[in-house]
Each structure stands twice: as structure tokens, then as C-alpha cells.
Amino acid sequence: MILYQAPYALILALVQALTQVQEITLTFVPKIIAIFLTVSLIVYTNAPVETEPEAELAGRHRQVQEYRAAGLVISSPEATVEFGEITASALVEGLDLEVYRTFSAIFADLETAAEQGDAKRIEALRQAMGEISHLAVALDQTVRFRDLVAVDAEGTEVLRLDEMDLSLEADAPLDSDEGSAALVFAGSGFAPGPGIGAEADALSQLIPTEWRLPLRIEKLPLEDLSDLTIDLLFEQSLDRFSGFPELSGGQALLAALGKAGTRLVVRDLFVEAPLGRTEAKASLTFAPETPLGVVGMVEFVVTGLDRILVYAEGLADAETKRWLSAAVLGMMGVGEAVALQDGSVGYRFSFWFTPEGEVSMNGFGFGDMLNEAVPQ
């Protein structure tokens, strides 16, 4: 199956989420993320591929990619980003070298057939690819940036970052109809510079300096995902020809995930700033037949709210002081106070999503909380 290509959708979802960060806090981060992923693509496109001898793997193929660059500088009219070091590694392990070569040949023929507009040839290649069984059983990729420094057009330092990692793993075992995929985005040593802007600088103690955002998808339906990936690939090649049926890929994907009981799991997620820390965990099962599309729970524990409240009171800007104080007091009011092992107090926010489409936080429905907050 060609499942190992599907987890890249997780990266796109992550980028989409990150680029929604409010401008007042991290104006420069979306551009850094875009550069990060662009360099990652260049790395994997140009890195040398080593295929280990067949005899050592009993007919299985293994591709290993390694890349390292030092002192890389990327410039634009708006900013310059310097990377002390970039390292990338990728391991793809699969089976049956003959099947692997067939798969590669199909891709080459598909490109030619698409350029020539040969619809019959494209359909024949589609049938051939649909007959391929497991192509890869394991994927492990990591890109790591070290000693990143960004400056604006005037040469003023905007930020620096000691390390930033993006890793992707996928597993499609031969003895199971289910697979898994995991994505981890992590960083440490983030420090804003003078060029980050006055508004963001006022909130510098709230900007994360270290984070780890792990996402894992379990119980992936391998056969269905393989078929859907093939459908999408060949739909793009055939969309110029009339008469080819349109595919509802998104709905079909959700239906397949729901039928398999696919779960999105988050463990050991944390975001740490000088004044506070947030930890989170989640377990959500895809259920497209329900109003919300998922069933399960998401839990956050936030520490340092008392310190942030003191910090807010000392801010010079009255408007920033007002909204930050109100936000912290609001979180303290609705969160569940919990005693932590280090003796500090944290505030827990547990969200539950039911099959009936109801959402509750800390045991209370949102309707109940609104009724309490707004007297009738």
C-alpha cells in the first residue's frame, strides 16, 4: 500500500493552524514556518538516496537519505534568516524490490501519459497501481534546524531559536489491516529580539520558549487509505477529460476513518513560556455520523496564571493590561483548580464531545455555564 504518503496531510494541517497565530504575539512565526517547510522539501528532493543490497534485506528495499548544511542564509526584501546548521534524515523501508520498481515505473508512465492526454493509458496505469500490495511498511523522517537567527529589513534581530525539529513516522505492518502515523513539532531556546515590535515585546514573557506538539493517528485503515490515495492521484491526471466521475475524497476519507474507529491521540504535549506552562492530552475518535464528527476528550492544564495576573497589572499599556487581566481572571473562574506535584496550582480544562453533539467542560455543558454567567 502507499499509505506512507498520506501523513503529509498532517503537516499541511499543522501549518494552517500555526499561521493563524494572532499578529500581536508572533508576527514573524508564520514566515519562519513557511521557510522551514520549504527548506525541508528542498532537503528531501536533493538528498542522496542509498539503497542497501538486496541480499542483506532478503528482497526488501530500504532507502536512506541524509543531508547536512551549515551556515545557510535565506534572504528576502522583508527579512533574512540564518541557519547555523540543518540536518535531515529519512528512512523508508518496504518490501519486494520488483513491486517497488513497478511502482516507480507507473509514476514515470503516468507523467508521460498526462502530458500526452492519453486517457486510456492513464486508466490502465490506475488499474495496475490498484493491484499493488504493500509498498512501504515503515517511514521515519526528521528535519532539525539549529541556531536560527532572523533579522528584519533594517538588520534588527527579530528572533533567535536554538533548535526546531519536525519529525514524521508512519507504520503499515504486513500482518495487520491497521496502521499509524505520528507527527511531532518541537522547539527550544526561542527568544524574541528588538525587532519583534513594541506590542509583542510587551508580552514577551508570555511567548513560548520551548514546546513539543505531538500528534498521533491510530487505527488507520490501510486498504481504504491506499485506494483513496490512488483515486486522488489519478483524478488529478484525468480531470482534463470529461466523463471521469468526480470524487468526494473528503467525505470518503472521513467515512473510512469512522468505519475503522480511527483515533487522534495527543500525549505529553506542552508549551512553556517564562511565566507559564500548558500541558495537554487528547483522545478523539472519528465519527462522521455524529453532529461534531468526533467523539472523545481534550484536556489542558495551565500553570502560572497567578504570575501572569501580577505581570498584567504591571503593564504600562492600559488596554493590554485590561484585556490580559480579564482573560486570566476568566480562565481562573471557569477552570478547575488542581494541586500539582511541585506545590503550585494549575487550572484544568477538560472538554468532552459526545455522540449527541454536546460539548461540556469540566462536567458542565456550555449552555449551563452561560446561564450561570448571564442572569435571566
Side-chain angles (χ1 to χ4, degrees):
M1 299 180 185
I2 54 176
L3 168 66
Y4 70 95
Q5 296 186 17
Y8 282 106
L10 292 174
I11 298 178
L12 298 180
L14 176 65
V15 176
Q16 185 178 18
L18 287 172
T19 53
Q20 303 305 312
V21 176
Q22 291 296 319
E23 189 173 7
I24 192 172
T25 54
L26 295 177
T27 57
F28 207 75
V29 168
K31 297 175 184 178
I32 298 301
I33 296 298
I35 293 173
F36 174 83
L37 290 175
T38 300
V39 173
S40 301
L41 290 175
I42 294 173
V43 164
Y44 288 127
T45 300
N46 298 301
V49 177
E50 302 175 2
T51 302
E52 299 192 6
E54 297 182 30
E56 297 182 9
L57 293 170
R60 299 168 65 173
H61 75 269
R62 176 183 292 163
Q63 288 188 338
V64 179
Q65 296 178 337
E66 299 288 345
Y67 180 92
R68 180 182 180 275
L72 179 65
V73 178
I74 299 178
S75 297
S76 74
E78 296 179 338
T80 298
V81 182
E82 300 179 5
F83 302 91
E85 181 183 60
I86 303 175
T87 58
S89 63
L91 169 65
V92 179
E93 184 174 328
L95 338 162
D96 194 342
L97 284 168
E98 289 303 320
V99 171
Y100 179 72
R101 294 187 182 109
T102 300
F103 178 82
S104 301
I106 289 175
F107 260 106
D109 290 349
L110 175 61
E111 183 177 357
T112 301
E115 291 176 353
Q116 296 175 351
D118 191 343
K120 291 183 178 180
R121 179 58 178 163
I122 291 176
E123 187 59 36
L125 292 172
R126 178 190 184 123
Q127 295 296 327
M129 184 172 287
E131 296 173 0
I132 295 179
S133 59
H134 272 69
L135 176 67
V137 295
L139 168 71
D140 189 350
Q141 296 185 342
T142 300
V143 181
R144 175 169 296 160
F145 291 179
R146 289 191 175 96
D147 301 326
L148 182 153
V149 178
V151 298
D152 61 18
E154 287 73 36
T156 304
E157 183 176 304
V158 176
L159 61 85
R160 64 176 53 241
L161 182 64
D162 291 344
E163 186 172 299
M164 182 165 60
D165 299 349
L166 181 66
S167 62
L168 173 68
E169 296 181 5
D171 187 30
L174 283 176
D175 57 353
S176 175
D177 294 331
E178 298 177 349
S180 63
L183 175 72
V184 179
F185 179 59
S188 62
F190 180 91
I196 199 170
E199 292 182 330
D201 185 60
L203 301 175
S204 60
Q205 296 300 300
L206 306 180
I207 296 178
T209 56
E210 185 175 0
W211 64 90
R212 184 176 186 273
L213 311 177
L215 302 176
R216 181 175 178 82
I217 300 182
E218 301 176 343
K219 301 188 67 176
L220 285 168
L222 299 182
E223 195 68 45
D224 289 338
L225 285 183
S226 179
D227 293 342
L228 287 169
T229 303
I230 293 173
D231 287 344
L232 177 61
L233 173 66
F234 282 87
E235 181 186 41
Q236 293 174 344
S237 299
L238 286 167
D239 60 4
R240 73 188 71 180
F241 304 112
S242 60
F244 186 74
E246 294 185 1
L247 297 175
S248 54
Q251 295 179 358
L253 174 60
L254 291 177
L257 297 179
K259 181 180 178 181
T262 303
R263 295 191 301 263
L264 174 64
V265 179
V266 177
R267 299 187 184 96
D268 301 323
L269 181 152
F270 75 87
V271 178
E272 186 157 6
L275 289 180
R277 178 184 175 96
T278 299
E279 298 179 356
K281 61 181 180 180
S283 179
L284 296 171
T285 300
F286 288 91
E289 74 282 0
T290 65
L292 298 175
V294 294
V295 175
M297 61 80 64
V298 178
E299 180 178 290
F300 298 89
V301 175
V302 182
T303 58
L305 289 179
D306 52 346
R307 295 192 297 271
I308 296 175
L309 186 60
V310 174
Y311 177 75
E313 291 298 322
L315 291 175
D317 184 76
E319 181 61 21
T320 303
K321 174 181 178 179
R322 183 194 63 79
W323 70 255
L324 180 58
S325 298
V328 172
L329 291 172
M331 294 179 67
M332 288 180 167
V334 300
E336 176 188 359
V338 292
L340 304 178
Q341 293 182 349
D342 61 1
S344 62
V345 176
Y347 291 85
R348 178 186 293 136
F349 304 86
S350 297
F351 298 88
W352 289 88
F353 306 87
T354 71
E356 295 75 26
E358 299 176 352
V359 181
S360 65
M361 185 182 74
N362 296 341
F364 295 94
F366 277 102
D368 297 334
M369 289 188 290
L370 289 174
N371 290 334
E372 291 183 5
V374 181
Q376 300 299 318

